[in-house]
Amino acid sequence: MSQFMFENRLSSLRNKFDILGVDAVWIIQPENRRYLSSFKAADGQLNESSGSLFITLEKAFLLTDSRYTIQAQEEAVGFEVITHKEGLTNALSHILDLLNARRLGFEGGYLIWDIYQKATEKTSQHSPPVELIPLAGLVEEMREIKEPEELEVLSRSAQLMGDVLARIIEELRPGLLERDVAWRIETLIREMDTDGVAFPPIVASGPNSALPHAIPTDRIIGEDEPIILDVGSKVDGYCSDMTRTIFLGSPPSYFREIYHIIREAQVSAIESIRPGMKTTEADSIARDIIKKAGFSDFFSHSLGHGIGLATHETPAVGPLKPVVLKEGMVFTIEPGIYIPGKGGVRLEEMVILEKDGARVLTTNKNFYSF
Amino acid sequence: MSQFMFENRLSSLRNKFDILGVDAVWIIQPENRRYLSSFKAADGQLNESSGSLFITLEKAFLLTDSRYTIQAQEEAVGFEVITHKEGLTNALSHILDLLNARRLGFEGGYLIWDIYQKATEKTSQHSPPVELIPLAGLVEEMREIKEPEELEVLSRSAQLMGDVLARIIEELRPGLLERDVAWRIETLIREMDTDGVAFPPIVASGPNSALPHAIPTDRIIGEDEPIILDVGSKVDGYCSDMTRTIFLGSPPSYFREIYHIIREAQVSAIESIRPGMKTTEADSIARDIIKKAGFSDFFSHSLGHGIGLATHETPAVGPLKPVVLKEGMVFTIEPGIYIPGKGGVRLEEMVILEKDGARVLTTNKNFYSF
């Protein structure tokens, strides 16, 4: 990714300061932090931040601790790296001096209550006092529209995943453990030039395929049963996410039926989605087909989700919250039908929304053979 | 782990309600949730919870969504599982009805600001209104003292890690990439009966060994240079954490010198730490030795940290915050010296604090050969 791109992102962010009523922002969410600064560090644990960005109209600071100083200096070009010794909140007074801000935006959807309380003490005691302003999805919204360089990486990420899936499907046979197949997927991903898996692979066979969020078990894959493979990897920080449902043996009629419904729901959605459409409308294209076929009670999740630096990001493409779909958005289309105790089918592609409609990024040629 | 143990934990928790001034608690932090309920699900992403516990003196609920319903019912014995359809905060009013509580404790060190705000709306509008009370490290403190069954698993976890390290050290040779060694470690861990790595392995060679938090790179491991291996796995949810520093070739005098200082600092700490001692005193046993040798500026982190369901948990064993060490605590002892541009040495063991002192859980026989 070019330095120019990161400068553009900072400009776009700063252009929003007026409307948001802030003169500085504090960014702590890992993907948002990477998006704005190119600082790649993850957070060690949920309560262990590897750094905060503080951005004003003129300045950009990255506050971190000594473990990350060198990495931050190398990666976060354009940011002044400040190393704190006694914790983030203790360093805040010094940062507030540097910022010279009166209204500091923070990530309400990410900052922990405790840290907010401590930060409030520091900001209110500061001279002049600084007000903390919650920002709702500010950077997340910028991340929704993918830039050409991001799209290029996402395409590579999606294609690589298709290659891995093709290989796994060739290798699949009765007698393997779900757990071992999941590990084989992870190994293939790691042996290609990736950052590893985007999420733990789902390998759900037989009745387990009726669980949308199945965790691979020690179950032995049998003959004549469905297997859902839901897998994703990260390439240069960008995630892929792809699902295929396989049947080892000769599929019974119930399976053929739900498979065809799901594939029809998916293809219809891919062919009909346009920029300007709402996410709820997009969801209903697929959901209506499933409903008409009498399976609406068995499609318990959303049609899809945005994907980029995070596997799940905005927009959610579901039945609840309408958001207008725009050109440049990348999201999944993944209808599913799950018959408890019996089995399920889910098919998932990643698409980029272009002027004329959705273009599939994942390999969509194989494995639609029932 | 026995059902009896989980019942005991709930009793201990409930016994604290009076002192805390609450009549119910809301637990969302994944390790705390598992500790109290044996519900093993992780959170998909930082902002994607797999469930909340709500515990009163008489009742215990696990609130989750449909992806986790079955897993929750199977694992969280003693909890009534409630599945929400439209998000955690929307389900809160219903939960408040069930709880019949007036003062609900929440995890201030974990709950996100946004969710707190939405929860406040629900609790204040409820009839009768419910007050939200922040709890500081309530369950984290319970987790500090390990029960016999936990200690047994932690020992297994530590021993397994020692076996993997021994194998890796045999295989190490110049010409290997740091990244490939890290992947080999991950593979060995996964091929044993574990839940995988506790954190991404650190393999830091040559000048990279001077970075306490080095990420494995494409650097080729050379002859005559130090390599820090800092690795951990999870067994039945419990973490191990262990560090060795190796030198391929004949160590120069600077390396021998800092190695001996670090080993002396570590052994002194292990031999001197007793129940009743403060964490800051424990830290200073090792730090004073390093200081006396003239390297205090090059030991930039704490001596150690508690370990259990999380790799890093309380107590922190460092120079800043004094906490009394108690029998039954399990923590790491890991002094280090890092000479920028040149190299570093860190040695790390896990110990259990017993009545008479610290007992090492990790294999401590090998690789102290300089």
Side-chain angles (χ1 to χ4, degrees):
Chain A
M1 306 266 160
S2 65
Q3 177 56 24
F4 179 66
M5 209 169 79
F6 288 97
E7 283 166 15
N8 267 347
R9 290 174 182 174
L10 279 192
S11 298
S12 304
L13 182 79
R14 286 169 170 148
N15 285 339
K16 296 181 209 260
F17 279 15
D18 243 7
I19 285 178
L20 296 167
V22 300
D23 46 17
V25 296
W26 173 13
I27 302 296
I28 193 166
Q29 201 279 339
E31 284 90 23
N32 290 344
R33 192 173 60 205
R34 179 171 181 159
Y35 183 81
L36 293 173
S37 72
S38 81
F39 177 52
K40 292 178 184 150
D43 289 352
Q45 289 181 184
L46 300 175
N47 54 356
E48 290 181 359
S49 172
S50 67
S52 287
L53 308 181
F54 292 91
I55 299 164
T56 68
L57 283 179
E58 272 114 39
K59 293 175 188 169
F61 301 98
L62 193 163
L63 180 69
T64 187
D65 63 68
S66 62
R67 297 171 302 169
Y68 297 98
T69 307
I70 292 172
Q71 184 183 356
Q73 285 165 341
E74 284 175 2
E75 292 177 348
V77 182
F79 279 74
E80 185 179 328
V81 175
I82 298 173
T83 305
H84 65 75
K85 291 204 166 165
E86 303 194 4
L88 163 66
T89 46
N90 289 319
L92 211 52
S93 303
H94 172 56
I95 293 288
L96 294 174
D97 290 343
L98 293 172
L99 293 181
N100 194 24
R102 303 294 302 263
R103 292 171 62 85
L104 176 63
F106 74 97
E107 294 169 295
Y110 194 79
L111 200 68
I112 285 170
W113 187 87
D114 255 4
I115 297 183
Y116 174 79
Q117 295 302 317
K118 287 179 194 155
T120 303
E121 273 176 42
K122 303 284 178 182
T123 52
S124 60
Q125 287 164 12
H126 192 261
S127 166
V130 178
E131 200 179 336
L132 284 171
I133 315 285
L135 305 170
L138 171 66
V139 185
E140 285 82 351
E141 202 178 304
M142 293 173 63
R143 283 166 48 199
E144 286 180 352
I145 310 293
K146 267 61 181 182
E147 295 148 353
E149 291 185 58
E150 291 184 286
L151 184 58
E152 196 271 319
V153 182
L154 276 164
S155 296
R156 268 197 291 133
S157 195
Q159 277 160 33
L160 180 146
M161 208 53 250
D163 293 346
V164 169
L165 253 187
R167 230 171 115 180
I168 282 293
I169 290 170
E170 268 173 38
E171 293 179 8
L172 266 187
R173 56 176 199 280
L176 294 172
L177 265 61
E178 287 180 357
R179 214 180 131 99
D180 291 341
V181 175
W183 176 237
R184 174 75 180 143
I185 294 169
E186 212 166 310
T187 304
L188 285 174
I189 289 172
R190 282 292 289 269
E191 286 173 356
M192 298 176 89
D193 195 18
T194 69
D195 311 336
V197 297
F199 55 88
I202 294 176
V203 177
S205 65
N208 290 351
S209 65
L211 310 174
H213 182 79
I215 289 168
T217 68
D218 286 332
R219 186 177 190 279
I220 296 169
I221 296 170
E223 284 182 60
D224 295 321
E225 55 182 38
I227 306 155
I228 291 183
L229 302 164
D230 186 346
V231 297
S233 63
K234 277 194 185 190
V235 172
D236 292 344
Y238 283 81
C239 302
S240 60
D241 190 358
M242 189 170 175
T243 307
R244 291 292 182 272
T245 305
I246 305 303
F247 199 97
L248 293 177
S250 174
S253 60
Y254 95 89
F255 180 83
R256 282 176 192 275
E257 184 189 356
I258 62 174
Y259 195 99
H260 283 290
I261 296 162
I262 286 303
R263 181 64 177 148
E264 189 197 338
Q266 187 188 40
V267 170
S268 299
I270 292 171
E271 287 176 353
S272 315
I273 290 175
R274 294 285 180 279
M277 191 179 268
K278 284 178 185 148
T279 48
T280 43
E281 292 174 66
D283 179 89
S284 69
I285 296 169
R287 199 169 298 275
D288 285 351
I289 290 171
I290 294 167
K291 195 175 176 180
K292 229 182 192 167
F295 288 95
S296 61
D297 288 349
F298 304 96
F299 176 28
S300 52
H301 55 73
S302 293
L303 180 63
H305 53 82
I307 181 166
L309 286 169
T311 303
H312 293 168
E313 49 184 57
T314 54
V317 184
L320 295 177
K321 200 185 153 203
V323 174
V324 174
L325 290 167
K326 290 179 197 152
E327 213 182 314
M329 285 179 168
V330 173
F331 49 91
T332 65
I333 298 187
E334 47 176 315
I337 291 177
Y338 311 93
I339 317 286
K342 216 163 175 183
V345 170
R346 179 168 68 257
L347 298 173
E348 176 182 26
E349 306 285 8
M350 283 167 66
V351 303
I352 162 83
L353 193 54
E354 297 180 333
K355 215 174 77 184
D356 305 323
R359 180 164 62 83
V360 174
L361 295 177
T362 28
T363 313
N364 69 341
K365 287 168 216 156
N366 314 318
F367 328 121
Y368 291 130
S369 47
F370 302 111
Chain B
M1 307 265 161
S2 64
Q3 177 56 23
F4 179 67
M5 208 168 82
F6 288 97
E7 283 166 16
N8 268 346
R9 290 175 182 173
L10 279 192
S11 299
S12 303
L13 182 80
R14 285 168 170 149
N15 284 339
K16 296 181 209 257
F17 279 16
D18 243 7
I19 286 179
L20 296 168
V22 299
D23 47 17
V25 296
W26 172 15
I27 303 295
I28 191 165
Q29 202 280 339
E31 284 91 22
N32 290 344
R33 191 172 61 205
R34 178 171 181 159
Y35 183 80
L36 293 173
S37 72
S38 83
F39 176 53
K40 292 180 183 148
D43 288 351
Q45 289 181 183
L46 301 174
N47 52 357
E48 289 181 358
S49 172
S50 66
S52 288
L53 308 181
F54 291 90
I55 300 164
T56 68
L57 283 179
E58 272 113 40
K59 294 177 187 169
F61 301 98
L62 194 164
L63 179 69
T64 187
D65 63 69
S66 61
R67 296 171 303 169
Y68 297 98
T69 307
I70 292 172
Q71 184 182 355
Q73 285 165 342
E74 284 175 2
E75 293 177 347
V77 182
F79 280 74
E80 184 180 328
V81 175
I82 298 173
T83 304
H84 65 76
K85 290 204 166 164
E86 303 195 3
L88 163 64
T89 46
N90 290 320
L92 211 50
S93 303
H94 172 55
I95 293 288
L96 293 174
D97 290 344
L98 294 172
L99 293 180
N100 194 23
R102 302 295 300 265
R103 293 171 61 84
L104 175 63
F106 74 97
E107 296 170 294
Y110 195 78
L111 200 69
I112 286 170
W113 186 86
D114 254 4
I115 296 182
Y116 173 78
Q117 295 302 317
K118 286 178 194 155
T120 303
E121 272 175 43
K122 304 281 177 183
T123 52
S124 59
Q125 286 164 13
H126 192 261
S127 166
V130 178
E131 201 180 335
L132 284 170
I133 315 284
L135 306 170
L138 171 67
V139 186
E140 285 82 350
E141 203 178 303
M142 293 172 64
R143 283 167 46 199
E144 286 181 352
I145 310 294
K146 267 63 182 181
E147 296 148 352
E149 291 186 58
E150 290 184 286
L151 185 59
E152 196 271 318
V153 182
L154 276 164
S155 296
R156 270 197 289 134
S157 195
Q159 276 161 31
L160 179 146
M161 207 56 249
D163 294 346
V164 169
L165 253 187
R167 229 169 116 181
I168 281 294
I169 289 169
E170 267 174 36
E171 293 179 7
L172 265 187
R173 55 176 201 279
L176 294 172
L177 267 60
E178 287 179 357
R179 214 180 131 100
D180 291 341
V181 175
W183 176 237
R184 174 75 180 142
I185 293 168
E186 212 165 309
T187 304
L188 285 173
I189 289 172
R190 282 292 289 268
E191 285 172 358
M192 298 176 90
D193 196 18
T194 69
D195 311 336
V197 297
F199 54 89
I202 293 176
V203 178
S205 64
N208 290 351
S209 66
L211 309 174
H213 184 78
I215 290 168
T217 67
D218 286 332
R219 186 176 188 280
I220 295 168
I221 295 170
E223 285 182 59
D224 295 322
E225 56 182 36
I227 306 157
I228 291 183
L229 302 165
D230 187 346
V231 296
S233 63
K234 277 194 185 189
V235 172
D236 291 343
Y238 283 81
C239 302
S240 60
D241 190 359
M242 189 173 176
T243 307
R244 290 294 182 269
T245 305
I246 305 302
F247 200 96
L248 293 178
S250 175
S253 59
Y254 95 88
F255 180 83
R256 283 175 191 274
E257 185 188 355
I258 61 175
Y259 195 99
H260 283 291
I261 297 163
I262 286 303
R263 182 62 179 149
E264 191 197 337
Q266 187 188 40
V267 170
S268 300
I270 292 170
E271 287 177 353
S272 315
I273 290 175
R274 293 285 179 281
M277 192 180 267
K278 287 180 184 146
T279 48
T280 43
E281 292 174 66
D283 179 271
S284 70
I285 297 169
R287 199 170 298 275
D288 286 350
I289 290 171
I290 294 167
K291 195 175 175 181
K292 228 181 191 168
F295 288 94
S296 61
D297 288 349
F298 303 97
F299 176 28
S300 52
H301 55 73
S302 294
L303 180 63
H305 54 82
I307 181 165
L309 285 169
T311 303
H312 293 168
E313 49 184 57
T314 52
V317 185
L320 295 178
K321 199 183 151 202
V323 174
V324 174
L325 289 167
K326 290 180 197 150
E327 213 181 314
M329 286 181 168
V330 173
F331 48 91
T332 66
I333 299 188
E334 47 175 315
I337 291 178
Y338 311 92
I339 318 286
K342 217 163 174 182
V345 171
R346 178 169 68 258
L347 298 173
E348 177 181 27
E349 306 286 9
M350 282 166 67
V351 303
I352 162 83
L353 194 54
E354 297 180 332
K355 215 175 76 182
D356 304 324
R359 181 165 61 84
V360 174
L361 295 176
T362 28
T363 314
N364 69 342
K365 289 169 215 156
N366 314 317
F367 327 121
Y368 291 130
S369 48
F370 301 111

